[in-house]
C-alpha cells in the first residue's frame, strides 16, 4: 500500500506554479532578436539590391554589378531577454560571394548582455554577371538562445554586368544616358 490517502488529490497549485515559473524564466532569459536592413523584423530575409534612388532620380534596382558591390546589408543581433549573457557562437553563410564583417575564427564569439545589440555587415560581391541566388537558410545563426538556438535568415541577390550603368540587366545604348549625365557634371 502506498502513502496516498484515499480521496486526496495532488497539489495542482504547486505543479502549476512550477510550470509558470519555468515559462517565465525561459522568457526572461536568453532571447535572440533579429533586425535586418529591410526594416521588417518579421520577414527574416535579406535582399541584396542597389539603392539608385539615393544617387539619382530613379527607382532602386534588384541587381548588383559584377565585381562592384553597390550595396551592403546588415543584421542586428540583440539579447532581448532580461537575464543572462547571450552567446552567438557562429554564423554559417550558405550563399556564394556573401561575406560577414565578423570573423568568428579570429574575433571569437559575440557576447550580448540583456538589451545589447551587435551589428554584422553583409557584403555581396558577385564574382560574375548573371549570378542569382535565393537561399531560405542563407544565414544560419548559432547561439545559446532559449527561444531559438539555431536561427535561419533567407538571402537573395542577383548580379548584372559591370558596364550596366542603368541596372536594367543588359549593356546597351541605355547605359549612355546616365554616363553622359555624370560626365558633364565632372567637366563643369
Amino acid at each position: 500500500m502506498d502513502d496516498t490517502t484515499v480521496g486526496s488529490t495532488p497539489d495542482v497549485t504547486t505543479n502549476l506554479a512550477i510550470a509558470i515559473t519555468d515559462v517565465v524564466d525561459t522568457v526572461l532569459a536568453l532571447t535572440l532578436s533579429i533586425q535586418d536592413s529591410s526594416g521588417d523584423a518579421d520577414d527574416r530575409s535579406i535582399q541584396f539590391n542597389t539603392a539608385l534612388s539615393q544617387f539619382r532620380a530613379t527607382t532602386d534596382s534588384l541587381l548588383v554589378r559584377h565585381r562592384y558591390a553597390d550595396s551592403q546589408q546588415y543584421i542586428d543581433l540583440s539579447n532581448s531577454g532580461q537575464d543572462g549573457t547571450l552567446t552567438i557562437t557562429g554564423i554559417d553563410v550558405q550563399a556564394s560571394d556573401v561575406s560577414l564583417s565578423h570573423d568568428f575564427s579570429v574575433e571569437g564569439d559575440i557576447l550580448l548582455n540583456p538589451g545589447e545589440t551587435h551589428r554584422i555587415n553583409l557584403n555581396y560581391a558577385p564574382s560574375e554577371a548573371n549570378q542569382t541566388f535565393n537561399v531560405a537558410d542563407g544565414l544560419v545563426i548559432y547561439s545559446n538562445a532559449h527561444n531559438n538556438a539555431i536561427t535561419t535568415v533567407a538571402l537573395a541577390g542577383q548580379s548584372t554586368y559591370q558596364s550596366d550603368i542603368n541596372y536594367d540587366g543588359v549593356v546597351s545604348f541605355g547605359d549612355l544616358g546616365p554616363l553622359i549625365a555624370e560626365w558633364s557634371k565632372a567637366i563643369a
Side-chain angles (χ1 to χ4, degrees):
M1 188 123 200
D2 63 25
D3 293 337
T4 306
T5 307
V6 176
S8 71
T9 58
D11 188 352
V12 175
T13 306
T14 302
N15 291 339
L16 181 59
I18 290 170
I20 289 173
T21 302
D22 290 345
V23 170
V24 169
D25 286 345
T26 300
V27 170
L28 295 179
L30 306 170
T31 305
L32 173 63
S33 297
I34 297 174
Q35 179 75 35
D36 61 57
S37 48
S38 72
D40 185 349
D42 297 324
D43 71 348
R44 291 278 171 97
S45 68
I46 297 173
Q47 169 76 48
F48 288 91
N49 56 19
T50 303
L52 295 175
S53 60
Q54 293 179 2
F55 308 105
R56 56 185 186 234
T58 188
T59 58
D60 295 342
S61 173
L62 294 178
L63 299 171
V64 174
R65 285 194 294 194
H66 166 60
R67 295 196 186 274
Y68 186 82
D70 296 322
S71 67
Q72 288 190 345
Q73 303 296 331
Y74 66 83
I75 186 166
D76 287 337
L77 306 172
S78 302
N79 181 354
S80 56
Q82 298 177 9
D83 185 33
T85 301
L86 177 66
T87 304
I88 310 296
T89 57
I91 300 177
D92 290 339
V93 180
Q94 307 295 333
S96 63
D97 296 331
V98 175
S99 60
L100 303 174
S101 62
H102 187 91
D103 184 349
F104 285 89
S105 65
V106 175
E107 300 172 65
D109 296 345
I110 298 169
L111 305 175
L112 299 171
N113 290 315
E116 289 185 337
T117 299
H118 183 87
R119 176 167 287 181
I120 295 180
N121 291 313
L122 304 167
N123 184 43
Y124 170 45
S127 57
E128 61 186 353
N130 290 330
Q131 182 182 54
T132 300
F133 65 90
N134 190 347
V135 186
D137 60 349
L139 294 179
V140 181
I141 303 167
Y142 302 95
S143 72
N144 65 337
H146 292 164
N147 66 328
N148 209 348
I150 300 174
T151 304
T152 60
V153 176
L155 295 178
Q158 62 188 70
S159 65
T160 186
Y161 300 92
Q162 195 166 1
S163 301
D164 182 13
I165 296 172
N166 66 354
Y167 291 87
D168 64 355
V170 295
V171 178
S172 64
F173 286 112
D175 296 306
L176 292 177
L179 178 63
I180 292 170
E182 290 301 314
W183 193 311
S184 63
K185 286 181 188 176
I187 295 173

